[in-house]
């Protein structure tokens, strides 16, 4: 069976491509360029340090300037402390063990701070993420070895299509009044599955709500610890909070992205801090640090007696830290054992605190955005897996076009949905969009099975408004321009904001109280077009008044979000009928399903119609009386 060997080869290709693009970004880049790319914090100040596991030193740092620059430094990432005086030689590598706001803790692979750290000009560099790739590779190798053993690991055989899944038939139907019929069916499927259940959750169908109720029911049924994972910290955070709100004892392993007090209280660090044995640890750590400080007082040029004394002090500090480690391990084991649900990212499921745990059930949320090799890290710890997500929305981000083309972009969710349709439940009722906004997406992606809940089916911004509008710019001379690797359409951007300004003015009469004013998103698939649209917003004083009510960003950044009004700038308009990556219709599915009450799509029908998906959408708009020509607005 070459299933895992093929995946390993694809992962190797992806790793190499990722490494090359990282090197390109960093090899010749200055510190300010690396900082602008989100790979560096510079300058930083050291706020404190303490001994940690295995005689390593944990240092807390704070970035002192450029605090608004977005960055990629995350919990668990490999990083280095460096000196800008001599960045090639003066650097110590380690792992980020905490990141929140403008502070982070890095555990360095050394037991004391180097001399050069006292000379200032310090920074933290993100290193290439070998750790995640190693974890994925190890999981695939382990799965490969298990799959070749006869009679071993039934779950692997089901997930790879060798065997069919089984379901218990003795369970009574689930009755959870807060859930609708298809949501209750999904919970029942999860409870009755012996190896795999799949929850297919289209936009706005309450997938998270369903999963939370299913996990609660699973725990009630089995009284066994459940592992809940997702590819992103944000998705893990959302589930952690909601599960905790339902009264479950949740342990969040890793570092939450959302630093809310409620969420922080669920983390291992926070729970450890409140543990009764923590006082003893603090006392011992203080003692160890005192011995180390005393040892450091001996200068480098000393005689045998001083050397022996220094060594004795270090040995004493080392012995105390061994005691600390034992006590810490006792606390961790105690907290982990008491948790009913453990939540983590896919790679975080192998965190040292929970590395050796096995679970009956593992739940993978947002499985439509999860790289398959990463999914095998938690799956190998399970007898049964629940996959939840939507493979009709955005796939995982893959750096290597070659690896994507050869199958790395096909998720485990997609494969299992095709292999085992009997394991899939589609959530059919959505609570976000007006029925007309939902209609096209439902027909193309969800076999026309979606229904709009009565509370949203006909909701509008005001009584005579239209929920959908396709504004056709064909023949207006709004030609696209190439900007490096991206595409822009300046005239379309200007037109969009004129159209939006007119709408906002009309809405003023219906929403006299600013707080009630509808939320608005302006999105486009192209980054450079987003910059133009953001510029337009800057130059629209009338719209500026609505401040945080209007957001402008890429489609990808809005996955999982919703707004009352959504404008999409399609951007492409050319005589070659080239639509580039607009042909990724899953991205368009995301774009078209963000709006609650009004969706306005602005684009050139002549260019777009080259793809049946858009040609059919324009027909749908005409039938829904939602088609307009941009010429009608030319006197705006």
């Amino acid at each position: 069976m070459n299933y895992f060997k093929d995946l390993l080869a694809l992962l190797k290709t992806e790793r190499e491509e990722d490494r090359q693009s990282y090197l390109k970004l960093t090899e010749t880049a200055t510190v300010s360029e690396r900082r602008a790319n989100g790979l560096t914090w510079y300058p930083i100040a050291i706020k404190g340090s303490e001994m940690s596991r295995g005689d390593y030193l944990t240092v807390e740092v704070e970035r002192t300037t450029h605090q608004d620059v977005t960055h990629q430094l995350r919990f668990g990432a490999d990083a280095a402390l460096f000196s800008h005086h001599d960045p090639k030689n003066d650097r110590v590598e380690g792992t980020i063990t905490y990141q929140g706001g403008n502070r982070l803790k890095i555990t360095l692979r050394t037991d004391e701070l180097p001399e050069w750290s006292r000379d200032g000009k310090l920074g933290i560099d993100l290193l290439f993420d070998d750790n995640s790739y190693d974890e994925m590779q190890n999981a695939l190798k382990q799965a490969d070895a298990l799959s070749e053993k006869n009679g071993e690991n039934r779950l692997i055989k089901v997930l790879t299509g060798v065997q069919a899944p089984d379901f218990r038939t003795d369970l009574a139907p689930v009755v959870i009044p807060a859930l609708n019929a298809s949501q209750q069916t999904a919970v029942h499927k999860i409870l009755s599955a012996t190896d795999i259940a799949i929850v297919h959750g289209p936009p706005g169908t309450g997938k998270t709500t369903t999963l939370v109720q299913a996990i609660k029911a699973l725990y009630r049924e089995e009284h066994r610890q459940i592992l809940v994972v997702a590819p992103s910290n944000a998705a893990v955070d959302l589930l952690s909070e909601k599960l905790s709100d339902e009264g479950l004892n949740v342990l969040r392993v890793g570092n939450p992205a959302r630093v809310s007090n409620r969420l922080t209280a669920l983390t291992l660090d926070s729970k450890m801090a409140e543990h009764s044995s923590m006082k003893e640890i603090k006392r011992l750590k203080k003692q160890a640090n005192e011995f180390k400080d005393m040892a450091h007082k001996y200068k480098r040029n000393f005689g045998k007696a001083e050397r022996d004394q220094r060594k004795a002090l270090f040995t004493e500090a080392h012995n105390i830290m061994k005691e600390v480690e034992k006590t810490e391990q006792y606390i961790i084991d105690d907290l982990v054992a008491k948790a009913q649900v453990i939540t983590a990212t896919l790679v975080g499921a192998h965190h040292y605190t929970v590395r050796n745990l096995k679970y009956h059930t593992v739940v993978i949320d947002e499985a439509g955005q999860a790289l398959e090799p990463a999914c095998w890290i938690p799956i190998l710890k399970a007898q049964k897996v629940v996959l939840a997500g939507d493979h009709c929305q955005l796939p995982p981000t893959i750096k290597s076009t070659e690896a994507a083309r050869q199958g790395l972009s096909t998720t485990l969710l997609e494969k299992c949905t095709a292999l085992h349709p009997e394991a899939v439940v589609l959530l059919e009722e959505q609570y976000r969009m007006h029925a007309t906004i939902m209609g096209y997406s439902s027909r193309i992606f969800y076999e026309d099975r979606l229904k709009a809940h009565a509370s949203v089916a006909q909701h509008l911004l005001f009584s005579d408004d239209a929920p959908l509008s396709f504004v056709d710019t064909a023949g207006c001379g709004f030609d696209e321009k190439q900007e490096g690797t991206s595409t822009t359409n300046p005239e379309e951007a200007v037109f969009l904001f004129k159209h939006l300004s007119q709408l906002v003015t009309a809405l003023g009469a219906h929403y006299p109280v600013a707080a009630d004013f509808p939320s608005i998103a302006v999105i486009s698939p192209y980054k450079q077009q987003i910059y133009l649209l953001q510029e337009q917003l800057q130059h629209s004083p009338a719209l500026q008044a609505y401040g945080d009510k209007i957001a402008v960003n890429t489609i990808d950044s809005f996955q999982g979000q919703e707004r009352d009004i959504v404008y999409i700038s399609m951007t492409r308009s050319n005589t070659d009928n080239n639509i580039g990556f607009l042909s990724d219709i899953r991205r368009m599915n995301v774009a078209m399903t963000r709006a609650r009450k009004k969706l306005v799509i602005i684009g050139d029908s002549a260019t777009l119609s080259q793809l049946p998906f858009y040609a059919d959408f324009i027909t749908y708009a005409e039938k829904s009386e939602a088609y307009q020509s941009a010429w009608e607005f030319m006197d705006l």
Side-chain angles (χ1 to χ4, degrees):
M1 178 177 176
N2 290 326
Y3 188 94
F4 293 105
K5 289 187 176 60
D6 291 348
L7 267 179
L8 275 161
L10 292 176
L11 186 65
K12 190 178 175 189
T13 306
E14 172 68 2
R15 183 182 199 148
E16 205 35 54
E17 181 68 33
D18 199 1
R19 188 193 299 279
Q20 289 311 317
S21 60
Y22 171 82
L23 290 175
K24 210 182 283 180
L25 271 179
T26 56
E27 270 190 330
T28 54
T30 63
V31 72
S32 51
E33 286 167 343
R34 294 200 309 276
R35 181 173 58 203
N37 281 320
L39 302 173
T40 296
W41 277 15
Y42 181 84
I44 55 144
I46 291 178
K47 289 293 168 191
S49 66
E50 62 170 22
M51 304 276 298
S52 67
R53 300 175 75 83
D55 266 2
Y56 289 156
L57 186 73
T58 296
V59 180
E60 184 175 5
V61 309
E62 181 175 31
R63 59 173 173 174
T64 48
T65 66
H66 300 81
Q67 295 185 336
D68 54 344
V69 177
T70 55
H71 64 91
Q72 298 170 44
L73 280 70
R74 298 283 178 269
F75 168 84
D78 293 329
L81 173 71
F82 70 89
S83 158
H84 198 33
H85 291 296
D86 187 357
K88 283 274 182 284
N89 298 314
D90 293 349
R91 62 196 294 119
V92 190
E93 296 190 355
T95 305
I96 295 171
T97 47
Y98 168 81
Q99 191 278 309
N102 288 300
R103 290 201 173 203
L104 65 77
K105 288 181 183 177
I106 178 168
T107 298
L108 300 171
R109 294 183 194 112
T110 178
D111 63 356
E112 55 183 314
L113 273 170
E115 291 288 332
W116 49 258
S117 67
R118 293 164 181 80
D119 303 333
K121 282 197 160 187
L122 299 178
I124 299 281
D125 261 343
L126 188 66
L127 300 176
F128 179 70
D129 185 13
D130 272 313
N131 176 49
S132 294
Y133 282 107
D134 286 344
E135 296 283 17
M136 288 190 269
Q137 187 178 303
N138 292 341
L140 292 178
K141 284 180 176 169
Q142 204 183 328
D144 188 33
L146 285 169
S147 71
E148 286 174 358
K149 285 185 185 171
N150 276 337
E152 287 265 342
N153 210 311
R154 176 179 153 75
L155 182 58
I156 291 178
K157 291 182 168 54
V158 172
L159 293 177
T160 54
V162 177
Q163 289 183 4
D166 274 345
F167 298 91
R168 287 171 56 187
T169 52
D170 59 335
L171 283 181
V174 170
V175 180
I176 303 173
L179 300 185
N180 65 39
S182 62
Q183 290 171 333
Q184 295 194 59
T185 306
V187 175
H188 186 264
K189 182 71 78 177
I190 288 169
L191 292 175
S192 61
T194 57
D195 23 53
I196 181 171
I198 298 170
V199 180
H200 184 183
T205 52
K207 172 177 61 70
T208 305
T209 304
T210 307
L211 270 191
V212 167
Q213 291 304 322
I215 292 162
K216 203 174 156 186
L218 267 174
Y219 188 80
R220 246 196 335 260
E221 177 93 3
E222 298 173 354
H223 284 289
R224 280 187 280 205
Q225 199 170 58
I226 298 162
L227 174 65
V228 178
V229 288
S232 72
N233 273 306
V236 178
D237 291 349
L238 179 66
L239 275 168
S240 302
E241 258 182 342
K242 289 194 178 297
L243 288 163
S244 175
D245 289 346
E246 286 290 330
L248 288 161
N249 180 346
V250 176
L251 177 63
R252 167 70 160 101
V253 174
N255 203 175
R258 291 216 313 274
V259 193
S260 68
N261 290 338
R262 278 165 62 216
L263 202 57
T264 309
L266 306 177
T267 63
L268 192 60
D269 282 354
S270 172
K271 291 189 179 203
M272 282 180 79
E274 287 171 15
H275 200 278
S276 53
S277 304
M278 210 57 199
K279 275 200 182 83
E280 177 63 2
I281 282 189
K282 277 194 177 138
R283 189 184 67 74
L284 289 168
K285 273 190 176 175
K286 191 173 175 226
Q287 212 179 344
N289 281 321
E290 279 166 5
F291 279 121
K292 288 204 87 169
D293 289 344
M294 282 158 70
H296 287 312
K297 293 212 167 63
Y298 290 97
K299 295 282 177 260
R300 298 285 175 202
N301 51 348
F302 41 62
K304 184 180 182 314
E306 286 92 346
R307 199 163 28 246
D308 288 349
Q309 182 62 17
R310 178 183 164 101
K311 192 173 176 221
L313 288 165
F314 270 129
T315 305
E316 195 52 45
H318 177 80
N319 290 340
I320 292 170
M321 284 311 293
K322 280 266 174 281
E323 201 52 46
V324 166
E325 255 179 65
K326 262 192 228 155
T327 315
E328 272 185 350
Q329 198 54 56
Y330 159 73
I331 296 176
I332 289 167
D333 292 346
D334 186 40
L335 290 170
V336 168
K338 286 182 177 142
Q340 296 168 325
V341 179
I342 289 175
T343 62
T345 58
L346 297 166
V347 176
H350 208 53
H351 187 259
Y352 77 90
T353 51
V354 291
R355 180 163 291 163
N356 301 317
L357 293 186
K358 295 279 185 217
Y359 310 86
H360 185 262
T361 305
V362 167
V363 178
I364 303 179
D365 191 19
E366 300 296 0
Q369 283 194 282
L371 211 54
E372 182 178 350
C375 290
W376 286 98
I377 299 169
I379 288 170
L380 289 175
K381 302 171 186 293
Q383 290 175 42
K384 160 175 162 177
V385 68
V386 177
L387 298 175
D390 183 9
H391 50 281
C392 303
Q393 292 187 61
L394 288 174
T397 305
I398 293 170
K399 297 265 182 14
S400 162
T401 45
E402 180 59 21
R405 200 176 51 76
Q406 290 194 21
L408 193 60
S409 60
T410 308
T411 59
L412 189 63
L413 176 71
E414 234 172 310
K415 290 179 184 176
C416 289
T417 300
L419 284 169
H420 307 304
E422 70 276 34
V424 183
V425 175
L426 177 75
L427 302 181
E428 295 181 356
E429 196 162 19
Q430 64 83 18
Y431 297 83
R432 175 184 298 165
M433 296 162 271
H434 186 285
T436 308
I437 297 173
M438 173 202 78
Y440 188 65
S441 176
S442 175
R443 195 171 85 210
I444 299 299
F445 296 99
Y446 308 109
E447 301 165 359
D448 227 351
R449 286 169 60 190
L450 285 195
K451 296 170 196 65
H453 184 261
S455 62
V456 300
Q458 299 304 318
H459 68 179
L460 296 165
L461 293 167
F462 52 88
S463 58
D464 298 331
D465 193 38
L468 178 66
S469 176
F470 173 72
V471 184
D472 188 358
T473 63
C476 293
F478 293 178
D479 294 334
E480 66 181 63
K481 316 236 176 325
Q482 286 305 311
E483 299 250 343
T485 55
S486 196
T487 306
T488 65
N489 193 322
E491 283 102 337
E492 185 175 287
V494 171
F495 174 79
L496 185 150
F497 270 92
K498 281 182 178 166
H499 192 283
L500 175 58
S501 300
Q502 191 186 49
L503 175 65
V504 165
T505 305
L507 287 173
H510 299 277
Y511 296 92
V513 180
D516 299 336
F517 199 82
S519 56
I520 301 167
V522 177
I523 59 182
S524 170
Y526 293 95
K527 270 213 176 82
Q528 288 301 129
Q529 183 72 351
I530 291 298
Y531 297 143
L532 283 187
L533 292 163
Q534 285 167 338
E535 236 173 70
Q536 286 296 316
L537 179 58
Q538 239 76 73
H539 296 127
S540 308
L543 296 178
Q544 293 275 295
Y546 294 96
D548 57 355
K549 289 283 185 181
I550 305 175
V552 181
N553 218 327
T554 59
I555 293 170
D556 299 36
S557 66
F558 275 101
Q559 170 130 335
Q561 297 188 43
E562 54 187 67
R563 295 289 189 275
D564 294 316
I565 303 163
V566 172
Y567 272 74
I568 308 174
S569 168
M570 299 299 285
T571 310
R572 301 310 296 248
S573 176
N574 55 68
T575 47
D576 308 328
N577 299 326
N578 178 6
I579 63 166
F581 85 141
L582 284 190
S583 55
D584 179 358
I585 61 173
R586 290 190 292 190
R587 181 170 270 105
M588 279 321 293
N589 185 32
V590 172
M592 290 173 165
T593 53
R594 300 306 96 202
R596 287 193 279 255
K597 298 177 180 176
K598 190 177 186 74
L599 172 63
V600 181
I601 299 178
I602 296 174
D604 177 347
S605 64
T607 303
L608 295 174
S609 292
Q610 299 315 300
L611 198 73
F613 174 81
Y614 295 110
D616 291 348
F617 171 73
I618 292 164
T619 306
Y620 174 81
E622 284 168 344
K623 284 183 180 158
S624 308
E625 296 181 358
Y627 176 90
Q628 291 171 293
S629 167
W631 286 104
E632 297 171 38
F633 300 92
M634 277 314 179
D635 54 350
L636 278 181

